[in-house]
Amino acid sequence: MLPVESVLPELLRVLTDRKAAVLQASPGAGKTTCVPLALLKAPWLEGRRILVLEPRRLAARAAARRMAALLGEEVGATVGYRVRLESRVSAVTRIEVVTGGVFIRQIQSDPELSGVGVVVFDEVHERSLDSDLGLALSLETRSALREDLRLLAMSATLDGAALAAFLGETASMAAPVIVGEGRSFPIETRYASAARPGERIEDRVVATIRQALIEESGDILVFLPGAAEIRRVQRQLSESLPSRSAVEEEVEILPLYGDLPQDQQDRALSSIVGGRRKVVLSTSIAETSLTIEGIRVVVDSGLMRVPRFDVRGGMARLETVRASQAATDQRRGRAGRLEPGVCYRLWPEPEQRALAPFTEPEILAADLAPLALELALWGDGDGSGLSWLTPPPSTSLAQARTLLKSLGALDDHGRITAHGRRMVGLGAHPRLAHMILCGQELGAEEEACALAALLSDRDIVRNHRAGEPRDVDLRLRVDAVLEGGRFSEALFDRGALQQARRVARSWKGQLASLRRKTSALDARGEIRELGADAVGALVALAYPDRVAQRRSSGGSGAATYRLQNGRGGVLDGLDALATEEWLAVASLDGDRRDARIFLAAPLREETIRELFVARLEEQELLFWDDREKIVVARRRRCLGALILDDAPLSNPLPERITAVALEGVRRMGMKSLPWTDVLEEWRARVAFLRALDLSDGVGETVWPDLSDETLLATLEDWLAPFFSGVSRVGHFEKVDLAAALQTLLPWALQQKLEEWAPTHLTVPSGSRVRLDYRSGEHPILAVRLQEMFGLPGTPTIAGGRVPVLLHLLSPAHRPMQVTRDLAGFWVNGYPSVRSDLRGRYPRHSWPDDPLTAPPTARTKRGAGR
């Protein structure tokens, strides 16, 4: 008896009276297989079907086979399944195990879910995008069309109360939560020391597996982030295990991930006869739902691979991250389903507490283009009318809708188009669906289906050796899928190639069933079939934002490209495509400056012009060239950030030239203008009076702000009228800057400026001495001491408000005293200065009483004092 069977009567009773429930049961409780079979007997079901949503194809197939076996039937009788490209159901099927994507197709084509009595969301804690959308659509169906539809959410690790409130029939009536105990034997957890710098995870995993083979009995389940790591660990294990007689004959190494052929997946899940042990190398696909016979040891790398979408660049990528606490607990639980087990965790124990509690919902980080298309088909473009466990981020959703409009899937009002409906019917990512439909229209449907198969799965080209350039040309791969070219079998992963061929044939079959109703392409002068650059053209149709133009030449160095979306791309200079002027790029990494190009195909410029004629923009550009320091006027034809045509623009409007020249001033700064000492002093005089805060009687300063910042910000107001005909920095010298600046000062203030901040002062000797307003806070009057004899007090300016700062100089014009208190200087400072100056300048007069002595700039006559 499985543990979940003890709560089945309660579950059946709850669903008799209520429309939703949450079942929380530990891993191994048997909920995936026992619950649907128990629901078959519920009176309220009345012969209707049960839909069971599994997050993965492998889990869906395995669950259906297990339930069918418990009934003593073949799959496709009472229990069947539907996954992408495969279906095993019949007229008598009552339980359908489906993946999230298949369920979305079912509810979109039949929103009432006719003939369905209950929808079971298994492993809902994984929070896949399809599962979240399926829940939202099911709730709307229950609310608007099917009050009798039951919803059941099941998981081992989730926030049961929050999910129950979400599924409740009303805001105040949460769904009941039923908690079932699991069956788990004791599990010993062994933590590893911290990784050494540069140590690869594959090396740590291999060492731990070898250790576990020696220390423990039973089969081993190993969790790795992805298929690439699985293949590397499998190869290392095969090379590093002890001699055949000691270990190798007893151990079978089996990979397990979603893209494996079904027979290989089945082998990893089944028991091995003959006493041999198995080591199953799996992705996170084995965390839940699946039953893997014989496992009592788990080796957990602590890593998982999740999709990440860069909204700014429009690029999705898979990113390796730390698994959450919930995920690592699920993995650990796999070791104790049959007997006491052991879990090796390849990280120190303190790090476990630092892990995120739960895995982040996919909706927060994934490419939302498929979701946006489904919402448009449902009739709720932004999803605001639906209830969400986690609402889709508005920025990501808006970016996805923009992409769909560019693909012709949405109209200008955001409604789904006929072309968009055909895209949905294909079941591929919107980019690939658009490409397939365009390929059909252009007579290249075989190439389009082959490309869609290649771009929706892992690369069919084997991993290149370290130090060797990666061959990025998609044409090579398309030829291999179509079996129409000569190529080396050793270059390709045979399993991946066969899978790509199967998927391509499937999409070609689907395409044949879709009637061509509307054009998939932008308006063009003439529709023609594609030629030699068919692959590049199709990739460009799927990824119009990644059409790329070369910026620098190839060769031994890297070749750099600019993408239509403005991002940069880089290609190894040794790659054959590095000499191509134009590329259509399908896959890049996530580098923000220059992303590495992984998959691409060449493209001709004339093909770009034909495919995207409706998107080409005619631009008249005037801009300031920082290097040449000149206004540049060009006429360009552009596709996004790419320039197809570039020619001089004749006779641009004079005011546009002036505006750009002023921008040149801003970029180079105020020092680029023809300033003179007189103008700098004039500006300093105005600034001096502004700093005094002399107001106009109403509390506002009347003197303008002539700082660099303000002048640069207001160039159009004061300088533009004097910049007519200026188009290069050499013309700046001809500008009447004095006249331009004078416009900032009304006539009355110009008069006040001369009165309150004079350029010169007349000193007692009769000399006119220039005032320096630029050297500090106070205007400076630098004058020889002898010329100030007879003056009792410090000279003032600004209507007597401000005494000047006197720099009293020796006959040789060296500073002897700095003061704003001349009267005090005569009394306290002059006697000591006089004593010093008499010895140094004996030919000059140094009277005892400077206030009665005549001011002079000359030496004394004769030898007398």
Side-chain angles (χ1 to χ4, degrees):
M1 177 176 175
L2 290 170
V4 77
E5 294 182 53
S6 64
V7 299
L8 291 179
E10 181 184 1
L11 176 63
L12 292 171
R13 185 182 70 253
V14 164
L15 288 178
T16 298
D17 301 323
R18 302 290 293 275
K19 302 300 186 296
V22 175
L23 175 59
Q24 190 168 351
S26 302
K31 55 187 178 297
T32 299
T33 53
C34 291
V35 169
L37 293 174
L39 292 177
L40 278 176
K41 307 169 187 176
W44 49 264
L45 197 61
E46 298 176 342
R48 290 175 295 187
R49 289 175 294 136
I50 300 169
L51 295 183
V52 181
L53 270 69
E54 291 292 340
R56 299 178 178 88
R57 287 174 288 167
L58 176 58
R61 286 193 293 257
R65 286 197 298 269
R66 177 62 178 164
M67 284 187 279
L70 290 173
L71 294 175
E73 299 177 351
E74 294 292 326
V75 175
T78 302
V79 182
Y81 64 82
R82 297 178 193 265
V83 299
R84 183 169 69 92
L85 306 180
E86 187 181 357
S87 177
R88 294 283 297 277
V89 297
S90 66
V92 298
T93 299
R94 295 281 311 285
I95 300 175
E96 289 186 18
V97 189
V98 299
T99 52
V102 170
F103 175 70
I104 300 302
R105 294 277 58 75
Q106 290 175 313
I107 197 171
Q108 287 277 27
S109 60
D110 178 15
E112 291 188 20
L113 291 177
S114 305
V116 176
V118 59
V119 182
V120 180
F121 293 86
D122 195 19
E123 309 298 355
V124 71
H125 69 276
E126 294 197 16
R127 300 298 308 279
S128 70
L129 191 59
D130 285 337
S131 177
D132 276 15
L133 177 59
L135 269 172
L137 299 184
S138 298
L139 285 170
E140 176 142 304
T141 289
R142 188 185 70 178
S143 172
L145 302 172
R146 286 282 310 280
E147 293 184 358
D148 63 326
L149 181 68
R150 266 74 166 178
L151 303 177
L152 173 61
M154 303 194 305
S155 176
T157 54
L158 51 74
D159 185 346
L163 185 59
F166 176 72
L167 292 176
E169 295 157 54
T170 66
S172 59
M173 184 183 295
V177 179
I178 300 165
V179 179
E181 296 298 326
R183 180 179 66 188
S184 179
F185 292 91
I187 302 171
E188 178 187 354
T189 305
R190 300 173 184 172
Y191 288 92
S193 58
R196 298 187 301 273
E199 186 178 16
R200 298 195 314 165
I201 188 62
E202 294 92 335
D203 298 333
R204 288 169 62 83
V205 167
V206 169
T208 306
I209 293 172
R210 296 186 63 187
Q211 177 184 349
L213 286 170
I214 296 172
E215 295 177 348
E216 301 296 332
S217 61
D219 296 339
I220 301 174
L221 175 59
V222 184
F223 286 100
L224 289 156
E229 290 83 359
I230 286 175
R231 288 190 290 270
R232 287 195 288 269
V233 169
Q234 185 176 13
R235 183 172 58 250
Q236 287 188 44
L237 278 176
S238 300
E239 296 171 350
S240 66
L241 284 177
S243 66
R244 177 175 296 274
S245 59
V247 175
E248 196 171 332
E249 288 183 352
E250 301 175 359
V251 177
E252 187 164 356
I253 305 165
L254 301 170
L256 180 62
Y257 50 90
D259 295 331
L260 276 178
Q262 185 174 338
D263 60 336
Q264 295 185 42
Q265 294 178 352
D266 293 342
R267 184 167 181 79
L269 299 179
S270 305
S271 298
I272 297 180
V273 297
R276 291 165 63 85
R277 298 176 69 181
K278 67 179 179 183
V279 176
V280 179
L281 308 176
S282 176
T283 61
S284 56
I285 195 172
E287 284 178 13
T288 54
S289 299
L290 292 176
T291 298
I292 305 177
E293 302 293 343
I295 299 298
R296 69 166 297 273
V297 178
V298 166
V299 175
D300 188 0
S301 69
L303 302 174
M304 62 190 302
R305 195 151 288 147
V306 297
R308 289 284 187 264
F309 185 69
D310 178 9
V311 176
R312 178 173 166 267
M315 287 190 249
R317 66 186 185 278
L318 289 174
E319 186 174 297
T320 301
V321 300
R322 297 293 300 273
S324 66
Q325 292 183 26
T328 57
D329 287 344
Q330 289 272 13
R331 296 175 178 187
R332 177 180 178 275
R334 287 285 169 178
R337 291 196 173 187
L338 302 175
E339 57 182 303
V342 175
C343 176
Y344 293 84
R345 286 176 167 170
L346 301 188
W347 60 92
E349 185 172 3
E351 292 184 11
Q352 177 67 19
R353 295 185 293 272
L355 298 178
F358 296 97
T359 302
E360 181 182 61
E362 187 180 0
I363 200 170
L364 293 179
D367 178 1
L368 296 188
L371 175 70
L373 188 57
E374 295 291 353
L375 291 175
L377 180 63
W378 188 258
D380 188 355
D382 60 2
S384 59
L386 298 176
S387 298
W388 297 93
L389 269 172
T390 301
S394 57
T395 302
S396 298
L397 190 58
Q399 194 274 349
R401 288 166 60 81
T402 299
L403 171 65
L404 293 178
K405 288 180 182 179
S406 73
L407 298 178
L410 303 182
D411 63 19
D412 291 339
H413 301 287
R415 296 185 296 258
I416 193 166
T417 62
H419 177 53
R421 292 180 184 277
R422 296 182 72 219
M423 289 167 60
V424 172
L426 282 173
H429 186 284
R431 289 183 184 271
L432 302 182
H434 173 68
M435 178 186 69
I436 293 172
L437 294 173
C438 291
Q440 181 187 47
E441 187 172 342
L442 293 170
E445 61 184 62
E446 287 197 356
E447 290 90 341
C449 291
L451 271 170
L454 290 165
L455 297 176
S456 59
D457 217 327
R458 63 186 173 94
D459 193 3
I460 66 173
V461 172
R462 295 185 185 276
N463 291 338
H464 61 293
R465 297 179 181 176
E468 293 181 357
R470 180 188 182 95
D471 192 324
V472 306
D473 196 341
L474 274 166
R475 296 174 300 178
L476 173 75
R477 295 158 172 84
V478 170
D479 282 347
V481 172
L482 297 180
E483 304 178 85
R486 297 176 60 86
F487 54 86
S488 170
E489 290 284 351
L491 182 63
F492 299 97
D493 183 312
R494 183 176 296 275
L497 178 56
Q498 291 174 349
Q499 173 70 4
R501 287 171 176 168
R502 286 194 295 269
V503 174
R505 286 193 296 268
S506 175
W507 265 321
K508 190 175 178 182
Q510 289 180 260
L511 189 60
S513 67
L514 292 174
R515 290 187 300 164
R516 188 185 304 175
K517 295 181 179 179
T518 58
S519 174
L521 297 165
D522 291 328
R524 303 193 307 160
E526 179 183 356
I527 299 290
R528 67 169 181 83
E529 292 191 355
L530 297 174
D533 61 348
V535 174
L538 290 168
V539 173
L541 288 167
Y543 302 94
D545 49 330
R546 301 184 200 170
V547 174
Q549 183 179 30
R550 192 173 61 177
R551 292 187 297 191
S552 67
S553 300
S556 57
T560 61
Y561 287 81
R562 176 180 288 109
L563 277 60
Q564 190 206 138
N565 61 12
R567 300 284 291 274
V570 62
L571 193 61
D572 191 294
L574 298 177
D575 193 283
L577 295 185
T579 60
E580 297 288 343
E581 285 294 325
W582 297 90
L583 293 178
V585 179
S587 177
L588 309 91
D589 67 10
D591 189 273
R592 288 191 173 273
R593 287 194 58 190
D594 287 310
R596 286 188 303 158
I597 297 173
F598 291 146
L599 294 173
L603 195 60
R604 292 182 299 168
E605 185 175 329
E606 53 265 38
T607 301
I608 295 174
R609 293 178 186 273
E610 291 182 356
L611 291 178
F612 302 113
V613 62
R615 303 188 196 183
L616 297 181
E617 295 181 354
E618 296 282 351
Q619 300 178 356
E620 292 186 355
L621 299 177
L622 277 81
F623 59 91
W624 182 260
D625 186 318
D626 288 321
R627 185 176 65 179
E628 299 296 331
K629 296 181 173 55
I630 188 173
V631 175
V632 177
R634 312 291 296 181
R635 183 186 300 277
R636 289 177 176 174
R637 180 173 295 173
C638 299
L639 179 64
L642 308 181
I643 302 171
L644 278 75
D645 297 314
D646 187 12
L649 175 63
S650 59
N651 301 319
L653 294 174
E655 54 267 28
R656 293 186 64 189
I657 296 177
T658 297
V660 174
L662 293 177
E663 181 60 27
V665 174
R666 285 196 176 94
R667 296 168 78 95
M668 293 187 294
M670 288 299 293
K671 292 187 180 298
S672 63
L673 295 175
W675 290 95
T676 63
D677 286 343
V678 172
L679 287 177
E680 291 281 14
E681 193 70 30
W682 179 87
R683 183 162 69 145
R685 291 160 62 202
V686 175
F688 161 70
L689 293 177
R690 177 180 172 82
L692 291 179
D693 198 24
L694 300 178
S695 68
D696 58 1
V698 292
E700 293 185 6
T701 297
V702 297
W703 298 95
D705 181 2
L706 300 184
S707 65
D708 280 2
E709 293 77 15
T710 299
L711 289 177
L712 287 172
T714 58
L715 291 174
E716 288 76 12
D717 299 331
W718 63 275
L719 187 58
F722 299 86
F723 242 52
S724 177
V726 173
S727 61
R728 61 179 65 237
V729 72
H731 295 164
F732 288 9
E733 293 295 332
K734 302 176 182 178
V735 174
D736 190 345
L737 186 58
L741 290 169
Q742 288 289 344
T743 63
L744 297 172
L745 211 59
W747 175 254
L749 288 185
Q750 293 183 33
Q751 301 307 304
K752 283 290 185 183
L753 178 65
E754 298 303 322
E755 177 186 349
W756 286 353
T759 59
H760 296 73
L761 284 181
T762 301
V763 296
S765 66
S767 300
R768 292 186 73 247
V769 180
R770 177 177 293 276
L771 278 164
D772 181 1
Y773 291 85
R774 292 186 288 171
S775 298
E777 182 180 352
H778 303 286
I780 296 173
L781 185 69
V783 59
R784 284 181 293 184
L785 174 61
Q786 295 162 296
E787 297 191 61
M788 302 297 286
F789 289 164
L791 185 64
T794 307
T796 61
I797 56 175
R801 295 176 177 85
V802 180
V804 299
L805 182 63
L806 290 170
H807 283 203
L808 300 175
L809 309 178
S810 70
H813 293 274
R814 294 187 178 91
M816 301 302 296
Q817 188 76 24
V818 176
T819 183
R820 296 183 69 196
D821 180 10
L822 185 59
F825 168 74
W826 293 137
V827 174
N828 302 311
Y830 177 73
S832 61
V833 170
R834 172 178 177 271
S835 176
D836 178 54
L837 292 176
R838 288 175 63 189
R840 294 167 60 186
Y841 302 98
R843 298 180 58 194
H844 289 258
S845 175
W846 305 108
D848 292 331
D849 184 2
L851 292 178
T852 59
T856 180
R858 300 180 179 181
T859 60
K860 65 182 180 180
R861 294 186 179 275
R865 297 197 178 210

PDB file of all heavy atoms in Angstrom, residues 164-179:
ATOM      1  N   ALA A 164      -3.815  27.179  -2.023  1.00  0.00           N
ATOM      2  CA  ALA A 164      -5.217  26.924  -1.715  1.00  0.00           C
ATOM      3  C   ALA A 164      -6.045  28.193  -1.849  1.00  0.00           C
ATOM      4  O   ALA A 164      -7.175  28.172  -2.366  1.00  0.00           O
ATOM      5  CB  ALA A 164      -5.337  26.359  -0.299  1.00  0.00           C
ATOM      6  N   ALA A 165      -5.510  29.311  -1.385  1.00  0.00           N
ATOM      7  CA  ALA A 165      -6.229  30.583  -1.534  1.00  0.00           C
ATOM      8  C   ALA A 165      -6.376  30.955  -2.998  1.00  0.00           C
ATOM      9  O   ALA A 165      -7.416  31.472  -3.428  1.00  0.00           O
ATOM     10  CB  ALA A 165      -5.490  31.677  -0.777  1.00  0.00           C
ATOM     11  N   PHE A 166      -5.350  30.670  -3.786  1.00  0.00           N
ATOM     12  CA  PHE A 166      -5.394  30.992  -5.211  1.00  0.00           C
ATOM     13  C   PHE A 166      -6.460  30.167  -5.930  1.00  0.00           C
ATOM     14  O   PHE A 166      -7.165  30.669  -6.800  1.00  0.00           O
ATOM     15  CB  PHE A 166      -4.015  30.727  -5.816  1.00  0.00           C
ATOM     16  CG  PHE A 166      -3.933  30.930  -7.294  1.00  0.00           C
ATOM     17  CD1 PHE A 166      -3.963  32.208  -7.841  1.00  0.00           C
ATOM     18  CD2 PHE A 166      -3.827  29.854  -8.159  1.00  0.00           C
ATOM     19  CE1 PHE A 166      -3.886  32.404  -9.204  1.00  0.00           C
ATOM     20  CE2 PHE A 166      -3.745  30.033  -9.519  1.00  0.00           C
ATOM     21  CZ  PHE A 166      -3.779  31.314 -10.050  1.00  0.00           C
ATOM     22  N   LEU A 167      -6.609  28.903  -5.575  1.00  0.00           N
ATOM     23  CA  LEU A 167      -7.550  28.013  -6.255  1.00  0.00           C
ATOM     24  C   LEU A 167      -8.961  28.101  -5.689  1.00  0.00           C
ATOM     25  O   LEU A 167      -9.880  27.471  -6.218  1.00  0.00           O
ATOM     26  CB  LEU A 167      -7.071  26.559  -6.146  1.00  0.00           C
ATOM     27  CG  LEU A 167      -5.795  26.200  -6.900  1.00  0.00           C
ATOM     28  CD1 LEU A 167      -5.410  24.751  -6.621  1.00  0.00           C
ATOM     29  CD2 LEU A 167      -5.978  26.417  -8.397  1.00  0.00           C
ATOM     30  N   GLY A 168      -9.144  28.862  -4.617  1.00  0.00           N
ATOM     31  CA  GLY A 168     -10.448  28.929  -3.970  1.00  0.00           C
ATOM     32  C   GLY A 168     -11.549  29.399  -4.888  1.00  0.00           C
ATOM     33  O   GLY A 168     -11.337  30.192  -5.812  1.00  0.00           O
ATOM     34  N   GLU A 169     -12.771  28.941  -4.625  1.00  0.00           N
ATOM     35  CA  GLU A 169     -13.911  29.305  -5.480  1.00  0.00           C
ATOM     36  C   GLU A 169     -14.301  30.763  -5.305  1.00  0.00           C
ATOM     37  O   GLU A 169     -14.855  31.379  -6.204  1.00  0.00           O
ATOM     38  CB  GLU A 169     -15.087  28.383  -5.144  1.00  0.00           C
ATOM     39  CG  GLU A 169     -14.784  26.916  -5.488  1.00  0.00           C
ATOM     40  CD  GLU A 169     -15.644  25.958  -4.677  1.00  0.00           C
ATOM     41  OE1 GLU A 169     -16.878  26.116  -4.715  1.00  0.00           O
ATOM     42  OE2 GLU A 169     -15.076  25.075  -4.010  1.00  0.00           O
ATOM     43  N   THR A 170     -14.044  31.327  -4.129  1.00  0.00           N
ATOM     44  CA  THR A 170     -14.248  32.750  -3.878  1.00  0.00           C
ATOM     45  C   THR A 170     -13.048  33.267  -3.103  1.00  0.00           C
ATOM     46  O   THR A 170     -12.219  32.495  -2.618  1.00  0.00           O
ATOM     47  CB  THR A 170     -15.534  33.003  -3.069  1.00  0.00           C
ATOM     48  OG1 THR A 170     -15.375  32.432  -1.761  1.00  0.00           O
ATOM     49  CG2 THR A 170     -16.754  32.378  -3.755  1.00  0.00           C
ATOM     50  N   ALA A 171     -12.989  34.589  -2.970  1.00  0.00           N
ATOM     51  CA  ALA A 171     -11.858  35.183  -2.266  1.00  0.00           C
ATOM     52  C   ALA A 171     -11.805  34.753  -0.805  1.00  0.00           C
ATOM     53  O   ALA A 171     -10.733  34.690  -0.199  1.00  0.00           O
ATOM     54  CB  ALA A 171     -11.931  36.705  -2.361  1.00  0.00           C
ATOM     55  N   SER A 172     -12.977  34.429  -0.233  1.00  0.00           N
ATOM     56  CA  SER A 172     -13.021  34.059   1.180  1.00  0.00           C
ATOM     57  C   SER A 172     -13.070  32.558   1.405  1.00  0.00           C
ATOM     58  O   SER A 172     -13.122  32.109   2.548  1.00  0.00           O
ATOM     59  CB  SER A 172     -14.235  34.719   1.843  1.00  0.00           C
ATOM     60  OG  SER A 172     -15.437  34.297   1.202  1.00  0.00           O
ATOM     61  N   MET A 173     -13.088  31.782   0.331  1.00  0.00           N
ATOM     62  CA  MET A 173     -13.212  30.332   0.462  1.00  0.00           C
ATOM     63  C   MET A 173     -12.025  29.662  -0.212  1.00  0.00           C
ATOM     64  O   MET A 173     -12.039  29.389  -1.410  1.00  0.00           O
ATOM     65  CB  MET A 173     -14.528  29.837  -0.159  1.00  0.00           C
ATOM     66  CG  MET A 173     -14.750  28.333   0.034  1.00  0.00           C
ATOM     67  SD  MET A 173     -16.265  27.755  -0.793  1.00  0.00           S
ATOM     68  CE  MET A 173     -17.512  28.622   0.150  1.00  0.00           C
ATOM     69  N   ALA A 174     -10.980  29.399   0.559  1.00  0.00           N
ATOM     70  CA  ALA A 174      -9.798  28.737   0.025  1.00  0.00           C
ATOM     71  C   ALA A 174     -10.095  27.269  -0.252  1.00  0.00           C
ATOM     72  O   ALA A 174     -10.979  26.666   0.362  1.00  0.00           O
ATOM     73  CB  ALA A 174      -8.639  28.866   1.002  1.00  0.00           C
ATOM     74  N   ALA A 175      -9.345  26.723  -1.173  1.00  0.00           N
ATOM     75  CA  ALA A 175      -9.483  25.293  -1.456  1.00  0.00           C
ATOM     76  C   ALA A 175      -8.930  24.492  -0.280  1.00  0.00           C
ATOM     77  O   ALA A 175      -7.966  24.897   0.369  1.00  0.00           O
ATOM     78  CB  ALA A 175      -8.728  24.948  -2.735  1.00  0.00           C
ATOM     79  N   PRO A 176      -9.532  23.337   0.024  1.00  0.00           N
ATOM     80  CA  PRO A 176      -9.011  22.502   1.118  1.00  0.00           C
ATOM     81  C   PRO A 176      -7.606  21.991   0.800  1.00  0.00           C
ATOM     82  O   PRO A 176      -7.280  21.708  -0.357  1.00  0.00           O
ATOM     83  CB  PRO A 176     -10.009  21.340   1.183  1.00  0.00           C
ATOM     84  CG  PRO A 176     -11.227  21.821   0.469  1.00  0.00           C
ATOM     85  CD  PRO A 176     -10.754  22.771  -0.575  1.00  0.00           C
ATOM     86  N   VAL A 177      -6.786  21.878   1.826  1.00  0.00           N
ATOM     87  CA  VAL A 177      -5.436  21.332   1.703  1.00  0.00           C
ATOM     88  C   VAL A 177      -5.402  19.974   2.394  1.00  0.00           C
ATOM     89  O   VAL A 177      -5.725  19.864   3.585  1.00  0.00           O
ATOM     90  CB  VAL A 177      -4.388  22.266   2.328  1.00  0.00           C
ATOM     91  CG1 VAL A 177      -2.989  21.654   2.204  1.00  0.00           C
ATOM     92  CG2 VAL A 177      -4.425  23.634   1.668  1.00  0.00           C
ATOM     93  N   ILE A 178      -5.034  18.945   1.655  1.00  0.00           N
ATOM     94  CA  ILE A 178      -4.949  17.598   2.189  1.00  0.00           C
ATOM     95  C   ILE A 178      -3.471  17.223   2.233  1.00  0.00           C
ATOM     96  O   ILE A 178      -2.773  17.295   1.222  1.00  0.00           O
ATOM     97  CB  ILE A 178      -5.736  16.608   1.313  1.00  0.00           C
ATOM     98  CG1 ILE A 178      -7.196  17.033   1.267  1.00  0.00           C
ATOM     99  CG2 ILE A 178      -5.584  15.185   1.820  1.00  0.00           C
ATOM    100  CD1 ILE A 178      -7.992  16.369   0.182  1.00  0.00           C
ATOM    101  N   VAL A 179      -3.011  16.826   3.397  1.00  0.00           N
ATOM    102  CA  VAL A 179      -1.599  16.511   3.591  1.00  0.00           C
ATOM    103  C   VAL A 179      -1.465  15.006   3.767  1.00  0.00           C
ATOM    104  O   VAL A 179      -2.102  14.411   4.643  1.00  0.00           O
ATOM    105  CB  VAL A 179      -1.015  17.250   4.806  1.00  0.00           C
ATOM    106  CG1 VAL A 179       0.450  16.874   4.998  1.00  0.00           C
ATOM    107  CG2 VAL A 179      -1.172  18.754   4.626  1.00  0.00           C
TER     108      VAL A 179
END
